[in-house]
Amino acid sequence: MTEADIKRKFNEALKLEKEGKISQAAKVYSEILGMNPKFQKAYLNLGALYSRTGDSENAIKTYQKALELGKTTELYYNLGVELYRLGSLDAAVKALKSSLELNKKYLNSHLLLAYCYKQLDRPDKSELYLKNAIKLDPKNKTAYAALATIYFDTEKWEEALAAANTAIQINPNDPRMEILMTEIHVKLGNYKQSFETLKKVTTTAQGFVQFNDSIKEARQKPKPEEKVFFDNLEVLTRKKLDEFKDKLTLSKENPQDFEAPEAQDALDLSLMYLFHGDTERALKYLLYAQKNLQENPTSEAG
């Protein structure tokens, strides 16, 4: 088959890919490689198709064959991705470092190396590669978000707060970062800021808003079984609230004899108020639980 015929088949495979006909495209790429085993681009595209279908083992074999024909940054990175997916972290690190030997400014390799080292419990190395990524792309929201998480896990609260703030400036209303911010504020003792941030998340995060709206709708027009649930919830909440207030009063009046409400007491009330559709009260009791756990780390809710 002539070079023109192979090029025609390659374009046919590309067209099939664009149409979402993955298995047919893979078959054509395999036919091309049967005719020309040194067509590296066909290996690269075939490996990418295996990756898209979750077949990491065949993707790895295909990328390795492509590397025999010539080393490229993209190939080493793609190989690193598949090894990471399979949990072969040391091999993934090796492949990603090989990609950086060819192009030290390849952003994606720095980012994935950071994730590999996080999994390997090497936060120092993870931080290093995230900072490299930020040097290459100062507005990379992924790098700042990951850096905030690394700092949080290593209890560097001020650094975590700064990184999370930057991540949110780059990507406003990111609920994951906003929730992390509430936890950081609790660790720093900034309970008011934690409450305000939580309140904002519950009024803007799509999933929570939809949940809250569905609860309100169910309370306004309850089905028979839902009415029973909400009636019982009302009784349970009133009882739990009375118990909570009694514990709180007794602990303040006689701290030697009575303990304050525990985190689990507050979490129970928070959940109850959540199903009442009373988000603000739910958040206040959640904040009490956070504060309790922060001040009494050996006391776990559960």
Side-chain angles (χ1 to χ4, degrees):
M1 188 170 280
T2 66
E3 191 173 319
D5 290 330
I6 290 175
K7 187 175 181 181
R8 178 183 56 77
K9 285 190 77 68
F10 185 77
N11 288 334
E12 179 190 338
L14 290 176
K15 185 173 181 291
L16 289 167
E17 268 195 74
K18 288 179 182 177
E19 293 172 354
K21 299 174 181 176
I22 305 302
S23 59
Q24 291 171 257
K27 184 180 178 182
V28 176
Y29 283 129
S30 296
E31 289 172 0
I32 292 169
L33 291 168
M35 292 180 284
N36 181 2
K38 293 186 178 181
F39 195 162
Q40 190 183 51
K41 183 65 176 173
Y43 278 115
L44 180 62
N45 288 14
L46 180 59
L49 288 182
Y50 283 132
S51 178
R52 282 172 64 180
T53 57
D55 189 351
S56 289
E57 289 186 4
N58 271 321
I60 288 168
K61 289 176 185 176
T62 306
Y63 290 140
Q64 286 171 335
K65 286 179 182 177
L67 283 166
E68 291 172 8
L69 300 173
K71 297 174 173 59
T72 72
T73 299
E74 186 179 9
L75 272 171
Y76 273 122
Y77 170 73
N78 289 352
L79 180 60
V81 169
E82 300 309 319
L83 290 165
Y84 176 81
R85 285 176 176 169
L86 289 179
S88 303
L89 298 175
D90 290 330
V93 166
K94 185 177 178 182
L96 294 166
K97 285 187 174 180
S98 294
S99 77
L100 291 178
E101 286 174 8
L102 296 173
N103 180 4
K104 64 181 181 181
K105 293 185 178 181
Y106 196 70
L107 176 66
N108 287 339
S109 289
H110 286 284
L111 287 171
L112 189 52
L113 273 165
Y115 282 102
C116 286
Y117 278 118
K118 187 177 188 299
Q119 294 291 324
L120 289 165
D121 199 22
R122 290 292 307 276
D124 54 330
K125 287 281 192 179
S126 188
E127 179 185 359
L128 172 67
Y129 282 101
L130 288 171
K131 286 183 174 179
N132 287 347
I134 288 167
K135 284 179 185 175
L136 293 169
D137 180 6
K139 291 188 177 181
N140 191 288
K141 62 183 181 183
T142 301
Y144 275 108
L147 194 58
T149 303
I150 291 292
Y151 285 141
F152 184 86
D153 291 343
T154 53
E155 300 185 1
K156 296 178 179 177
W157 313 127
E158 295 288 354
E159 291 93 332
L161 185 62
N165 264 321
T166 304
I168 288 173
Q169 286 170 15
I170 296 169
N171 185 31
N173 300 322
D174 178 349
R176 293 170 304 169
M177 274 297 100
E178 289 181 323
I179 289 170
L180 182 65
M181 287 270 284
T182 69
E183 295 185 39
I184 296 168
H185 280 308
V186 167
K187 296 296 184 182
L188 289 169
N190 303 330
Y191 298 108
K192 184 179 179 182
Q193 290 94 322
S194 180
F195 175 76
E196 292 301 328
T197 306
L198 261 178
K199 191 174 177 181
K200 179 176 180 290
V201 175
T202 59
T203 55
T204 57
Q206 186 178 4
F208 192 93
V209 172
Q210 288 176 343
F211 170 78
N212 207 30
D213 288 346
S214 66
I215 291 294
K216 286 179 180 177
E217 185 179 345
R219 288 183 68 84
Q220 288 169 1
K221 299 177 181 179
K223 297 174 183 175
E225 64 275 16
E226 290 173 340
K227 188 176 186 308
V228 172
F229 169 79
F230 286 120
D231 287 346
N232 289 337
L233 180 65
E234 189 72 39
V235 174
L236 287 170
T237 304
R238 195 178 302 116
K239 181 182 177 184
K240 190 73 181 177
L241 183 60
D242 287 342
E243 289 174 358
F244 188 93
K245 286 180 176 178
D246 286 344
K247 283 184 181 181
L248 197 60
T249 301
L250 289 169
S251 69
K252 287 179 179 178
E253 292 176 352
N254 299 286
Q256 302 294 330
D257 300 321
F258 297 97
E259 293 182 354
E262 295 179 357
Q264 189 61 53
D265 295 319
L267 287 173
D268 290 344
L269 273 170
S270 178
L271 187 59
M272 288 175 178
Y273 277 118
L274 196 61
F275 279 98
H276 274 290
D278 191 339
T279 304
E280 189 155 338
R281 281 194 183 182
L283 293 180
K284 284 179 179 177
Y285 284 104
L286 178 60
L287 186 61
Y288 178 96
Q290 287 180 310
K291 186 176 180 181
N292 182 287
L293 289 170
Q294 174 69 9
E295 294 172 352
N296 304 284
T298 56
S299 160
E300 292 187 4

